[in-house]
Structures are given as structure tokens and as C-alpha cells.
Amino acid sequence: QVHLVESGGGLVQPGGSLRLSCAASGGIFTLADMGWYRQAPAKQRDLVASIKSDGNTNYADSVKGRFTISRDNGANTLYLQMDNLKPDDTAVYYCNLRAKLWDHEYDDWGQGTQVTVSS
């Protein structure tokens, strides 16, 4: 498996910003499709944003225009810039890596980082 280490979560006021980071181990990061998911209590884990190995991005409707996903392949790091945060954004945010290389399929998750948006 690939180890994913997340950072950047915390408590912010509505309208504020946070930047999440996810550092990946190994040399497969550049070949992988990456995503940010979030899960609130008693709710399922949903995709927030994704970025493929070629750089193509996709966003959930609820975060379009507010969140930006990006990657730094040289640093094996995934980012999620979150602006204009709302209370409904409160959740545990997870980093996900997916790739298929010859005889192995990767589907790995970070530990999660708490984001709380409250006044």
C-alpha cells in the first residue's frame, strides 16, 4: 500500500479558508488518480474533488467555485485549497490514491483530518 499523510485541517469561521495537504510515499504518485473525500457524522463518505494523473479535475457541485484541487508531482503531494467555507463543509476530509500498475491495484486512504467551520 501507499502511505498517505494528511495535514492542514482545523477550525475556521464561515467565509474563511484552509489548505489541506496529502503527502504520498513511494514513486507511484505521478501515475495515480487522486481525490479528496469527506464524511460527516452519520453520513457516507462522498467525493469532494478529484485530479487525474494527467491533471484533469472534477468537483462536487457543492464546492464548485470555492475549492481547488492541485498536485505537485515533484513533491508527491496533493492539495485542496478551500475558500469561502460554510458550516456544511464540516467533516473529516480524506485523501485517496488510485492506480493500476501491472499486477497490482492501488486504492489507499489517508488517516483523515478534521475540518470544522463554525462561528
Side-chain angles (χ1 to χ4, degrees):
Q1 68 178 33
V2 178
H3 291 102
L4 304 171
V5 180
E6 301 173 353
S7 61
L11 173 65
V12 295
Q13 296 179 343
S17 297
L18 284 174
R19 191 191 194 198
L20 306 183
S21 298
C22 171
S25 66
I28 199 174
F29 180 84
T30 58
L31 303 177
D33 298 334
M34 303 295 298
W36 287 100
Y37 292 71
R38 67 186 182 187
Q39 186 171 25
K43 294 185 178 295
Q44 69 178 28
R45 187 175 299 185
D46 292 326
L47 178 68
V48 176
S50 63
I51 181 167
K52 300 184 74 69
S53 60
D54 64 4
N56 186 47
T57 60
N58 189 56
Y59 297 90
D61 287 341
S62 59
V63 307
K64 285 181 179 177
R66 300 188 298 120
F67 291 9
T68 303
I69 189 171
S70 61
R71 64 195 296 161
D72 184 342
N73 286 339
N76 290 341
T77 303
L78 175 74
Y79 301 99
L80 184 67
Q81 178 67 44
M82 303 186 294
D83 298 320
N84 192 23
L85 283 160
K86 303 176 179 180
D88 284 347
D89 296 320
T90 296
V92 178
Y93 284 70
Y94 298 90
C95 173
N96 173 250
L97 178 150
R98 294 180 181 178
K100 187 174 183 178
L101 183 62
W102 195 240
D103 62 343
H104 187 68
E105 292 187 359
Y106 298 86
D107 187 3
D108 297 316
W109 296 87
Q111 80 285 358
T113 185
Q114 177 71 47
V115 172
T116 302
V117 185
S118 176
S119 60

